[in-house]
Amino acid sequence: MAYDEDLANRVREALGHEPGITERRMFGGLAMMLCGNMAVVVRGAGGLMVRVDPAEAERALAEPGADATVMRGREMRGWVTVPPDACERDADLARWVDRGVRFARTLPAK
């Protein structure tokens, strides 16, 4: 399944001119990576996967529409799935993208 190109363009726009961002196709979607670390993924199934500080995951999961990311039947600690309707508004999308980038900045460059 292909990822949503319009959403990918909106994520690119939300990233602005963030230094160190690269893109890589993976998980059936498009991963936005900061210095080699995944920050946000435009999912092939729609919506986003956002990397979050595991210590703040519960707070992120309390936001409307947010859900734990599950891959191959296992919950991925430190990742939140955001459905398309929870990132329709530019302000919501920017908040999620910013959250992923902020956490990725704390990780050592690869």
Side-chain angles (χ1 to χ4, degrees):
M1 178 183 301
Y3 59 87
D4 180 340
E5 250 327 309
D6 290 332
L7 181 56
N9 286 332
R10 290 180 57 225
V11 169
R12 289 180 186 110
E13 199 172 295
L15 287 166
H17 297 289
E18 181 73 37
I21 294 289
T22 56
E23 298 178 7
R24 179 187 234 173
R25 288 179 183 255
M26 53 184 13
F27 306 124
L30 182 67
M32 305 298 187
M33 304 175 74
L34 176 65
C35 298
N37 294 294
M38 282 189 286
V40 179
V41 178
V42 180
R43 299 176 65 229
L48 303 172
M49 269 177 35
V50 180
R51 192 162 195 180
V52 298
D53 182 339
E56 296 189 19
E58 289 302 316
R59 195 162 110 201
L61 289 168
E63 291 199 31
D67 203 0
T69 298
V70 177
M71 293 186 83
R72 296 185 181 143
R74 293 173 36 163
E75 188 173 319
M76 293 179 58
R77 183 169 150 74
W79 286 91
V80 175
T81 298
V82 181
D85 62 339
C87 53
E88 281 180 349
R89 293 179 346 130
D90 289 341
D92 294 331
L93 177 67
R95 187 178 71 256
W96 283 112
V97 169
D98 181 62
R99 181 177 268 147
V101 168
R102 274 187 289 126
F103 183 65
R105 276 191 202 124
T106 69
L107 302 171
K110 290 185 178 183

